[in-house]
Amino acid sequence: EGVTTQGTESLRMRSIAMPDHEFIVVARSLQSSQSQDRANIQALLAFVVIASACGALIVGRMLKRDFNEVDELIQNATEISQGNTDIQIHPHTGNSEIDELARALDRMIISLQTTVKLEREVHGRMQDFLGDASHELRTPLTVIKGYVELLSADSINAKEPYSRYFARVTSEIERMEMLIKDLLLLAELGQEYNLPQEAVSLSSIVAVNAEDLRDLEPHREVSLHVESGIEILGSASLLQQLLANLFANIRRHTPTTAAVEVKLRRDQDWVYLTIDDAGPGLPEASYEQEALHFKRFDPSRSRDSGGSGLGMSIISAIVRQHQGNLKLSKSHLGGLQTAIELPTTDRFDELGGLESRNLD
């Protein structure tokens, strides 16, 4: 077997037996082999060091990016907690958990900004409504106060028309009662209202209110196209209030000679009520808006005409309670078209608790 000798030069030696007790000794220097081994080991160590340094650099840059993103998220969260919602997160396109967190927070901030914007709009409408309601209540109170002071004055003699003064005070009191009634109805409809489940003949209600309009204003042309036998589930009193407000708006805001067209029809599972008038209509921008609480399309209309300005809000609330839809648009008669879509009895059961659809 071969052996290795150590000296000034390492040798690998082996002996081979020959006849006559002779041996051949073969030896080879190991210097070149050992040098190559040392070079391979050095190259391997250098590769390991360089690879480790590159790996540490890459990991460091990735951690630094994530830490910077975490710091940015912390700063954004701090600003949000201080009430600043007008910020925007710019998430990276990576697939790390930090990137997923940034994208989730970005979606949350967008949703929060939408909610805050809607809340501000509602707050603004409520402020306008409170101002209008205060004006509506203050006006009759001022009139009542003036007449009470006049009636209680010592200078007035017995021949003064007391009956006219009392009639004026009574009318203003009735106006206040109507306004308070509208406010209470809106508050009730805005809560969890238990809608009665009773079959209501919508055909009869529409026809009766249209006939009332004809009787009250004989000079007005009222065209009536009502299919008979149309019934829906809901509250007869609320539906009566709905039609009363619709026709009251027509009497209040259109000339007595303006034509009115009323149509009621059924198409499969839906009932369509359309009322067109030839009055002045609404401002053009109002047709793109929804009829919401605390919203008045024309701020001067109810004050000039003596109404409370809550009619359209009540109409919209009643329609929503019956799982229906309401749309205001320009009428072919030149005025306002009020289109109401209500579900039939079968469709109403299917839509229970669902949000109403947009009316095309």
Side-chain angles (χ1 to χ4, degrees):
E1 298 181 357
V3 295
T4 302
T5 62
Q6 300 290 339
T8 57
E9 185 178 354
S10 299
L11 299 174
R12 184 68 175 172
M13 304 177 63
R14 183 178 180 182
S15 60
I16 302 174
M18 301 297 291
D20 300 329
H21 302 285
E22 294 180 350
F23 296 89
I24 297 176
V25 179
V26 181
R28 184 180 179 183
S29 176
L30 297 178
Q31 183 175 2
S32 61
S33 176
Q34 290 176 346
S35 299
Q36 184 66 34
D37 290 342
R38 285 193 295 272
N40 291 337
I41 292 175
Q42 291 174 357
L44 179 61
L45 290 176
F47 175 78
V48 171
V49 171
I50 294 175
S52 300
C54 292
L57 181 61
I58 293 174
V59 171
R61 289 180 64 86
M62 293 177 61
L63 291 177
K64 183 178 180 180
R65 184 185 72 90
D66 288 343
F67 287 149
N68 290 337
E69 192 167 356
V70 169
D71 292 338
E72 182 181 355
L73 294 178
I74 292 174
Q75 182 179 359
N76 291 332
T78 302
E79 293 182 6
I80 293 174
S81 65
Q82 295 174 353
N84 180 18
T85 59
D86 298 329
I87 62 175
Q88 185 176 3
I89 295 179
H90 302 282
H92 299 280
T93 57
N95 296 321
S96 66
E97 287 78 3
I98 301 298
D99 297 326
E100 293 291 337
L101 176 61
R103 284 190 287 268
L105 288 178
D106 185 57
R107 292 191 295 268
M108 182 192 71
I109 290 176
I110 293 175
S111 177
L112 179 62
Q113 290 173 346
T114 303
T115 303
V116 171
K117 181 180 179 181
L118 180 61
E119 184 69 22
R120 289 173 179 173
E121 292 177 356
V122 172
H123 179 72
R125 290 197 300 267
M126 184 177 295
Q127 290 296 112
D128 295 338
F129 169 79
L130 290 177
D132 293 337
S134 299
H135 175 83
E136 298 290 347
L137 287 172
R138 184 170 60 249
T139 300
L141 284 176
T142 302
V143 174
I144 293 174
K145 180 180 178 181
Y147 276 100
V148 168
E149 292 177 352
L150 182 62
L151 289 171
S152 61
D154 296 335
S155 59
I156 193 171
N157 54 54
K159 296 181 180 180
E160 291 292 333
Y162 282 98
S163 59
R164 182 168 61 88
Y165 295 164
F166 281 115
R168 188 73 177 90
V169 170
T170 302
S171 66
E172 293 299 323
I173 292 175
E174 291 175 351
R175 179 181 175 187
M176 289 183 61
E177 289 178 345
M178 183 61 65
L179 176 60
I180 294 173
K181 179 181 178 181
D182 291 343
L183 291 172
L184 292 176
L185 180 58
L186 275 179
E188 183 181 5
L189 292 174
Q191 300 174 354
E192 293 296 331
Y193 186 80
N194 295 323
L195 193 68
Q197 300 294 317
E198 57 181 350
V200 181
S201 175
L202 189 59
S203 299
S204 300
I205 295 178
V206 173
V208 168
N209 283 270
E211 292 296 334
D212 290 342
L213 180 62
R214 285 176 174 173
D215 295 336
L216 292 173
E217 297 179 342
H219 298 290
R220 185 190 297 273
E221 179 184 353
V222 180
S223 177
L224 187 61
H225 306 278
V226 176
E227 293 184 8
S228 60
I230 295 180
E231 291 187 352
I232 63 173
L233 279 181
S235 169
S237 60
L238 289 182
L239 291 173
Q240 176 63 36
Q241 180 77 24
L242 169 69
L243 270 299
N245 281 20
L246 287 173
F247 287 109
N249 285 340
I250 293 176
R251 293 196 304 269
R252 182 176 296 119
H253 302 299
T254 65
T256 57
T257 57
V260 174
E261 185 177 276
V262 181
K263 295 181 180 179
L264 179 66
R265 63 183 179 87
R266 174 173 178 170
D267 186 4
Q268 296 181 354
D269 294 333
W270 293 92
V271 175
Y272 299 94
L273 172 62
T274 305
I275 300 178
D276 293 90
D277 65 65
L282 296 175
E284 290 297 333
S286 301
Y287 295 120
E288 300 177 359
Q289 303 174 6
E290 296 183 16
L292 302 173
H293 287 352
F294 321 121
K295 178 66 178 179
R296 174 179 286 169
F297 293 111
D298 188 350
S300 64
R301 286 182 61 174
S302 63
R303 292 181 181 179
D304 294 341
S305 57
S308 65
L310 304 177
M312 193 55 67
S313 297
I314 294 175
I315 292 170
S316 177
I318 294 175
V319 171
R320 285 197 302 269
Q321 287 289 343
H322 288 80
Q323 305 296 339
N325 304 286
L326 171 66
K327 181 181 179 182
L328 305 178
S329 60
K330 190 73 173 179
S331 172
H332 66 278
L333 297 179
L336 173 66
Q337 180 187 82
T338 304
I340 298 176
E341 180 186 37
L342 296 172
T344 60
T345 301
D346 297 334
R347 187 64 174 170
F348 185 84
D349 294 333
E350 297 176 4
L351 290 177
L354 298 178
E355 294 184 357
S356 60
R357 302 180 293 112
N358 289 330
L359 185 61
D360 295 331

